[in-house]
Amino acid sequence: GHYCPEGTDQPIDCAAGTYGILTGLKNQSECLDCDPGSFCVTPGRTSPDGDCQAGHYCRSGAAVAAPTDGVTGDVCPPGHYCPTKTADPFPCPVGKFLATTGADDILDCTDCTAGSYCESHGLGAPTGPCKAGFYCNASSSTNMPTDGVMGNVCPEGFQCPEGTHTPEHCPKGTFADVTSYAECLTCPKGYYCGTTRTVEPTLCPAGRYCPAGTTDVIPQCPPGSYNPHSGVTNMTGCTLCDGGTYCPTAGMTSTGPACDASYFCLSGAINAQGGLGVLGGASGDCPSGHYCPSGVVKPKKCPIGTYFSGTSATAVTDCVNCDGGKYCPEAGQTESSLNCSAGHYCTSKATISGPIDGVTGNVCTKGHYCPEGTTVPINCPEGTYSNVLGLSDCTSCPEGYYCPGATVDPIICSNSYYSPNGSSTCTICPAGHYCPTNTTAEIQLNTTYRCPAGHYCPEGTGEYPELTNHTCPKGHFCVEATPLPEDCPPGTYGPNTGRKSAAECTICPAGSFCVGGQAEISGKCREGHYCPQGSSNDTAIGCPPRTYRRYKGARNHHDCNICPNGYYCPGSTDDPLDCPAGYYCIVGTAEPESCPIGTFSNTTNLKDYIYCTACPAGKYCEGFGNIKPSGLCDPGFYCSGSSFTSSPPDTTGGECPKGGYCNYGSSYPSTCDKGTFNNYIGGRTQEDCYSCPEGQYCAGSNRPVPSGPCAAGWYCTGGAFLPTQHEVGPGHFSLSGASAPSPCQPGTYQIAPKQASCAPCPEGNYCPNTAMQSYIPCTAGHYCPEGTDQPIDCAAGTYGILTGLKNQSECLDCDPGSFCVTPGRTSPDGDCQAGHYCRSGAAVAAPTDGVTGDVCPPGHYCPTKTADPFPCPVGKFLATTGADDILDCTDCTAGSYCESHGLGAPTGPCKAGFYCNASSSTNMPTDGVMGNVCPEGFQCPEGTHTPEHCPKGTFADVTSYAECLTCPKGYYCGTTRTVEPTLCPAGRYCPAGTTDVIPQCPPGSYNPHSGVTNMTGCTLCDGGTYCPTAGMTSTGPACDASYFCLSGAINAQGGLGVLGGASGDCPSGHYCPSGVVKPKKCPIGTYFSGTSATAVTDCVNCDGGKYCPEAGQTESSLNCSAGHYCTSKATISGPIDGVTGNVCTKGHYCPEG
């Protein structure tokens, strides 16, 4: 129990965990480790202290009963148990496990959890989950049990995912046709799995479709479709209900009854009214413009000439004839919205804009007009006419004619009457004019038939006026076209007949007066007045103030006498009036003047202020009214009275002022005589006054300077005392301050005297000379604006037939159809040149300006004297310019139409849906001559002259197609000129545009019904059968044994066609009896390494030493587990059933395999 190294005085204890049974030990290393299963806690021991504690294990060298250091021992680990005296933990047996530590008994080990397996000894947890495809009961020692005790292979109709302890039923929509499925297969397309635990899927019935995973709830083909065969995989295998029929319920296996009239059912209808289901299609109410008999596939268009605005028409008789005034050119119209062409009328059922058949309409008749949209021709209104066919508006009745309503040709007016353009009756010839012909036009009244000057024409004059019966009477004048003779104006008289103007009336002589409208002078001028030439009454002008006239017949103011001294004359005086006392009246006094202050007077008829008694001459007198003077006034001064000095400085006298002179002893300054002036102060004698200069006047007396310039209209030659010394005569004028009159210049005139200016010659007249007192009317072919001295030529392109024109605008534009090249003409030069047209105002025979005329345009011809180009007739055109004959117009090109007059090119191509022969006047002919509607089975694109056959694969079921319709899906059009498509036959499919080459469903498929639209409508050949040829209408015979045919097989060996599928040789690991849909797996415990097995007996038992855990194995490649042996047909690596193998027996060993 001790050791003694060299030099020891006392033995040393063997350490805890060791002991010594021998003596003489030299060092600790010679002490023995404590025995396994024991512990040595006390140093110096010769044997262990005791057994290892239960729940722990003690390896060599344990120093305690329950070690935990992991070297000398530890707590009993998971998967093991440790009874007392355990040196190494005892493992739990196979099929059990123990998750906790410190176990001390085998009973602490628990059975392996169900769904798991415990493959080896001493497990702290199950080895793992049961393998997918198997189920494991409690205590299973393998993940693929097959003995039925620990578990087994997952049976048919069940699924066993990894960790399964109880097989799960395959849910609806899945199946398991062999054992060992980890997960049930999804039910294949075309089949359904309607129960749990399904082993074999059931073929999808007719009327339904089965996508992958279909349960007992099997989708039905929806209303509007049907399905006559089984095994359809999705809704696209449901066929839209056939045209003309409807399918009202889900799950139908054939098409339904016919759709009702007033509805169309192209495809997919769910009721008799063409309602559509979820699959769509093309059905419904019969649309506007169409009619639908019972069972119709496609709405039929109402024929041309008719329309239908509502819906649900059942027969062609429901289509309404095109309204009056309208035309319906196309089939299938919903309204009659197109107006009949102007110049035509459309009664009913018209198919073109300009019918000419007399039934649906015609060209507008004479006497009528037809605007766009006319139902029946309309009477030409009063004042218009129509004498040709096809007018859209009536022509205005020409001048000289009248047109009552509905006139075909204008009616001539008689003489004494006239009519303007557009008259419905003739009008009596107005006064001032005459109407000598039966066709007098209004314009002639204002040009040719104006009553000439010097004559008068009462209303209704029907012959040319003569002086014998229409002369203008005395005392009057008659200008051109006067309705009544006009009085000679006041101031004139007319002693003769036939006067043409007021200017020809005789001016009343001076001294007389003429009231106007008289043949003789009215009388002499009254006393106190004077009458210059042209006076209109006897008091024309009063004698001016300061003058008088005692006798009749005064001619001018010179015939009025100056009022004498001592008298006054206030104006229009026939006898002078006495100057009263206290006043003085000098010669020519208009009103008496009072004697000035500083003078006196007690007598009448004083003749001058000098005769007022002043403070005696040269004297001064204090105050007013002196009867004698106070003294003499100094020379150069004047004493005007009441002067208190001889040189008075104030208002009573003073230094003699400018404008007068003062003698010695003057009582008042003596004035310079009228017509003189003095601009110096202190004048003493008359010699100090100077004569007034030319152009000036010096009014009155006492003028220091001239009064001012002579008045305008007058002139002053010197010594004038009035601004009106000499009056300017007619034909002259003068400005202010003139010393002589100035003559009027050419272009001006002056009829009156005393004028400050000349008047411009009035427009319509000219004044060629100087000093003219009147003007001359402008000559014909010319015009005279205001102030003209010579007439101006009417310009080229115009002429003038009247005199007195005022400006160029009054010259007449050259007549349409004529030209006027020479200025100043009174008539046109000649006719317009052929190949050109001349509108109003042409200045050359072949104008090209486009305004007054031009080269004859395309679509027209222009013979000589053309005013407006003549249009080529309807149905013709002319592309060139300069044509001069209707024969130049050419027929409209075939395939085009020439709808109107005057075309330079065809109006356009023939309308799509029609064909047009040459000379067609409409783009939609229907008469068979100009062309016609495109017939059924043909197409007529725009510009067609000959209808084209519909090519194969198209059709035209009505007339008027511009382009043939593509043959619809589900039909074929096998010939040219097809009118109605043919339903696609069973075994084939017809996409849009199918011709006589109709695609067949390819080998591996079939199609039992008609009207299929594409290859997807071909059904893959049913499972277990094959379809060897194209175009089959039902599935074929059963496939051979050793092959499988899930779908789409083209031969008995399961070959596949273009549509694919799932078929072929029976694969390794499987066997295929005759007609099998899907290869069957060889069961677990067997395998098959070749192909083409025909029965389960062809499957080979798993080889000895091998195991085959899964169905469908192609070889037995897995070795039997070591410790077990496998005889044959083993399904697990460690069989224990004693049939396929078992645990290796005692006395033997069993390596792997």
Side-chain angles (χ1 to χ4, degrees):
H2 299 84
Y3 65 92
C4 297
E6 183 179 13
T8 299
D9 59 351
Q10 291 292 329
I12 301 170
D13 292 336
C14 283
T18 66
Y19 70 98
I21 58 173
L22 298 178
T23 60
L25 298 182
K26 300 173 182 177
N27 51 49
Q28 176 65 46
S29 65
E30 291 182 345
C31 296
L32 297 174
D33 288 336
C34 198
D35 296 338
S38 300
F39 71 96
C40 301
V41 69
T42 307
R45 290 285 295 178
T46 58
S47 63
D49 283 280
D51 293 334
C52 193
Q53 183 179 309
H56 288 73
Y57 65 94
C58 299
R59 291 192 174 137
S60 178
V64 293
T68 58
D69 59 6
V71 177
T72 63
D74 213 328
V75 177
C76 203
H80 296 74
Y81 62 96
C82 300
T84 303
K85 202 177 181 180
T86 295
D88 282 297
F90 294 95
C92 287
V94 172
K96 293 184 181 288
F97 75 100
L98 179 57
T100 62
T101 61
D104 60 4
D105 195 288
I106 192 172
L107 296 177
D108 291 331
C109 297
T110 59
D111 289 339
C112 202
T113 308
S116 299
Y117 72 102
C118 298
E119 188 175 38
S120 59
H121 303 84
L123 296 177
T127 307
C130 196
K131 185 174 182 179
F134 293 80
Y135 65 95
C136 298
N137 298 326
S139 303
S140 179
S141 62
T142 175
N143 65 345
M144 297 185 292
T146 58
D147 59 0
V149 177
M150 291 188 290
N152 215 329
V153 176
C154 203
E156 294 178 349
F158 290 81
Q159 63 185 5
C160 297
E162 186 179 67
T164 296
H165 59 83
T166 302
E168 302 172 8
H169 293 177
C170 284
K172 293 179 180 180
T174 66
F175 74 102
D177 56 346
V178 292
T179 61
S180 71
Y181 272 124
E183 183 180 3
C184 297
L185 302 176
T186 299
C187 207
K189 295 188 292 183
Y191 292 81
Y192 71 97
C193 299
T195 64
T196 61
R197 301 192 297 174
T198 296
V199 175
E200 287 290 343
T202 305
L203 191 64
C204 198
R208 299 173 181 257
Y209 61 94
C210 297
T214 299
T215 66
D216 54 345
V217 181
I218 308 172
Q220 294 179 302
C221 285
S225 68
Y226 68 97
N227 172 21
H229 50 279
S230 58
V232 170
T233 62
N234 54 47
M235 195 185 291
T236 60
C238 299
T239 302
L240 288 176
C241 205
D242 293 350
T245 67
Y246 67 98
C247 298
T249 60
M252 292 182 67
T253 60
S254 63
T255 197
C259 284
D260 289 350
S262 80
Y263 299 92
F264 75 97
C265 299
L266 183 58
S267 62
I270 64 171
N271 54 42
Q273 293 76 43
L276 294 178
V278 294
L279 293 183
S283 301
D285 290 341
C286 200
S288 299
H290 298 71
Y291 63 95
C292 300
S294 174
V296 74
V297 174
K298 178 182 176 185
K300 295 181 178 292
K301 291 183 179 180
C302 284
I304 59 171
T306 68
Y307 71 97
F308 190 70
S309 58
T311 58
S312 306
T314 62
V316 71
T317 53
D318 291 335
C319 298
V320 180
N321 288 341
C322 204
D323 298 339
K326 307 286 185 178
Y327 71 102
C328 300
E330 298 179 357
Q333 288 194 204
T334 61
E335 57 180 0
S336 56
S337 59
L338 299 175
N339 286 331
C340 195
S341 293
H344 292 75
Y345 63 94
C346 300
T347 54
S348 175
K349 208 174 182 180
T351 61
I352 59 174
S353 61
I356 56 174
D357 57 9
V359 178
T360 63
N362 216 327
V363 178
C364 203
T365 53
K366 294 180 180 180
H368 300 81
Y369 71 100
C370 299
E372 184 180 297
T374 298
T375 302
V376 294
I378 305 169
N379 288 344
C380 281
E382 293 183 350
T384 65
Y385 73 97
S386 147
N387 58 4
V388 295
L389 299 174
L391 292 185
S392 62
D393 198 4
C394 298
T395 305
S396 182
C397 203
E399 294 184 316
Y401 295 79
Y402 69 97
C403 301
T407 297
V408 175
D409 291 304
I411 305 168
I412 295 173
C413 290
S414 63
N415 67 336
S416 299
Y417 288 84
Y418 80 97
S419 69
N421 189 289
S423 295
S424 60
T425 60
C426 297
T427 305
I428 192 165
C429 202
H433 300 77
Y434 60 97
C435 304
T437 71
N438 289 337
T439 57
T440 301
E442 184 176 43
I443 191 172
Q444 293 175 303
L445 293 180
N446 297 319
T447 55
T448 308
Y449 299 142
R450 295 166 61 86
C451 200
H455 298 72
Y456 77 94
C457 301
E459 183 179 73
T461 299
E463 68 281 350
Y464 187 88
E466 301 290 344
L467 289 175
T468 55
N469 57 353
H470 295 95
T471 187
C472 199
K474 293 179 179 181
H476 298 78
F477 67 93
C478 298
V479 298
E480 185 181 61
T482 186
L484 287 173
E486 298 182 45
D487 290 343
C488 279
T492 67
Y493 68 101
N496 302 315
T497 61
R499 295 182 185 275
K500 299 178 181 178
S501 67
E504 292 188 354
C505 293
T506 302
I507 296 176
C508 203
S512 300
F513 71 93
C514 303
V515 297
Q518 303 291 319
E520 299 176 349
I521 296 170
S522 301
K524 295 289 187 180
C525 200
R526 184 184 294 182
E527 299 88 340
H529 297 77
Y530 66 92
C531 297
Q533 188 182 53
S535 294
S536 61
N537 58 63
D538 61 353
T539 58
I541 304 173
C543 280
R546 300 189 294 276
T547 66
Y548 72 98
R549 172 76 180 181
R550 286 194 177 100
Y551 309 106
K552 294 181 177 181
R555 296 169 296 173
N556 54 48
H557 71 280
H558 297 296
D559 289 341
C560 296
N561 301 311
I562 298 295
C563 204
N565 288 344
Y567 295 86
Y568 69 96
C569 301
S572 300
T573 304
D574 57 357
D575 201 27
L577 303 175
D578 289 333
C579 198
Y583 292 83
Y584 68 93
C585 299
I586 65 173
V587 172
T589 294
E591 295 294 338
E593 298 183 32
S594 61
C595 285
I597 60 172
T599 66
F600 66 95
S601 175
N602 59 1
T603 61
T604 61
N605 297 108
L606 289 184
K607 300 178 180 179
D608 201 333
Y609 67 89
I610 63 173
Y611 294 110
C612 292
T613 303
C615 263
K619 299 178 180 181
Y620 62 95
C621 300
E622 295 179 348
F624 291 95
N626 291 328
I627 59 173
K628 61 182 179 178
S630 301
L632 295 176
C633 200
D634 291 339
F637 290 86
Y638 65 95
C639 296
S640 58
S642 300
S643 296
F644 55 90
T645 177
S646 60
S647 54
D650 56 17
T651 56
T652 61
E655 190 174 11
C656 205
K658 294 179 181 181
Y661 62 91
C662 298
N663 294 322
Y664 180 81
S666 294
S667 61
Y668 197 81
S670 298
T671 60
C672 289
D673 290 342
K674 60 184 178 182
T676 65
F677 72 101
N678 175 18
N679 61 354
Y680 299 105
I681 297 173
R684 294 171 177 265
T685 66
Q686 176 67 41
E687 284 71 19
D688 291 331
C689 297
Y690 299 97
S691 178
C692 208
E694 292 181 352
Q696 304 284 318
Y697 74 97
C698 300
S701 58
N702 200 32
R703 298 302 303 171
V705 292
S707 302
C710 199
W714 304 77
Y715 64 96
C716 300
T717 57
F721 59 87
L722 293 172
T724 55
Q725 183 182 21
H726 304 293
E727 68 176 32
V728 173
H732 295 75
F733 73 99
S734 70
L735 303 176
S736 175
S739 61
S742 298
C744 290
Q745 295 303 303
T748 66
Y749 78 103
Q750 184 51 261
I751 192 171
K754 302 180 285 189
Q755 299 300 309
S757 63
C758 296
C761 203
E763 55 183 1
N765 299 274
Y766 69 102
C767 301
N769 304 317
T770 59
M772 291 195 69
Q773 299 180 27
S774 61
Y775 40 81
I776 303 169
C778 202
T779 55
H782 301 78
Y783 64 92
C784 299
E786 184 180 71
T788 296
D789 60 350
Q790 291 296 328
I792 302 170
D793 290 340
C794 283
T798 66
Y799 68 97
I801 61 174
L802 300 177
T803 60
L805 300 184
K806 299 172 183 176
N807 49 54
Q808 174 65 48
S809 64
E810 292 188 341
C811 297
L812 299 176
D813 286 338
C814 201
D815 297 342
S818 302
F819 72 96
C820 300
V821 68
T822 308
R825 293 281 298 179
T826 58
S827 62
D829 283 282
D831 294 335
C832 193
Q833 180 179 312
H836 290 72
Y837 64 93
C838 299
R839 292 198 171 126
S840 178
V844 295
T848 59
D849 59 9
V851 178
T852 62
D854 213 327
V855 178
C856 204
H860 297 73
Y861 62 95
C862 302
T864 303
K865 202 176 182 180
T866 294
D868 282 296
F870 293 93
C872 287
V874 171
K876 292 181 179 292
F877 74 99
L878 178 57
T880 59
T881 60
D884 60 8
D885 196 284
I886 193 172
L887 297 178
D888 294 330
C889 300
T890 58
D891 288 342
C892 201
T893 309
S896 301
Y897 72 103
C898 298
E899 187 176 40
S900 57
H901 303 84
L903 295 177
T907 306
C910 196
K911 185 172 182 179
F914 293 80
Y915 65 93
C916 298
N917 299 327
S919 301
S920 180
S921 62
T922 173
N923 64 344
M924 296 184 289
T926 57
D927 59 0
V929 178
M930 292 189 289
N932 216 327
V933 177
C934 201
E936 294 178 348
F938 289 80
Q939 63 183 7
C940 297
E942 185 177 70
T944 295
H945 58 82
T946 303
E948 303 171 7
H949 293 176
C950 283
K952 292 178 180 181
T954 66
F955 72 102
D957 56 346
V958 294
T959 61
S960 72
Y961 271 125
E963 182 179 3
C964 298
L965 301 178
T966 299
C967 206
K969 295 188 294 184
Y971 293 82
Y972 70 96
C973 301
T975 64
T976 60
R977 299 192 298 174
T978 295
V979 175
E980 288 290 343
T982 305
L983 192 64
C984 196
R988 298 174 182 255
Y989 61 94
C990 298
T994 298
T995 65
D996 53 346
V997 181
I998 308 170
Q1000 294 178 305
C1001 285
S1005 67
Y1006 68 99
N1007 170 23
H1009 50 279
S1010 58
V1012 171
T1013 61
N1014 53 50
M1015 193 185 289
T1016 60
C1018 298
T1019 302
L1020 289 175
C1021 204
D1022 293 349
T1025 66
Y1026 66 98
C1027 299
T1029 61
M1032 292 183 67
T1033 59
S1034 61
T1035 197
C1039 285
D1040 288 349
S1042 81
Y1043 300 93
F1044 75 96
C1045 300
L1046 181 60
S1047 62
I1050 63 171
N1051 54 42
Q1053 292 76 43
L1056 294 177
V1058 294
L1059 293 183
S1063 301
D1065 291 341
C1066 199
S1068 298
H1070 296 74
Y1071 62 96
C1072 300
S1074 174
V1076 74
V1077 174
K1078 180 180 177 185
K1080 295 180 179 291
K1081 290 182 179 180
C1082 284
I1084 59 172
T1086 67
Y1087 71 96
F1088 190 74
S1089 59
T1091 59
S1092 305
T1094 61
V1096 70
T1097 55
D1098 291 336
C1099 297
V1100 179
N1101 288 339
C1102 201
D1103 297 339
K1106 306 289 184 178
Y1107 70 102
C1108 299
E1110 297 180 356
Q1113 287 193 210
T1114 61
E1115 58 182 358
S1116 56
S1117 59
L1118 299 174
N1119 287 329
C1120 197
S1121 294
H1124 290 75
Y1125 64 93
C1126 300
T1127 56
S1128 174
K1129 206 175 181 181
T1131 60
I1132 59 175
S1133 62
I1136 56 174
D1137 58 7
V1139 177
T1140 61
N1142 214 326
V1143 178
C1144 199
T1145 57
K1146 295 179 180 180
H1148 298 82
Y1149 71 100
C1150 299
E1152 183 181 296

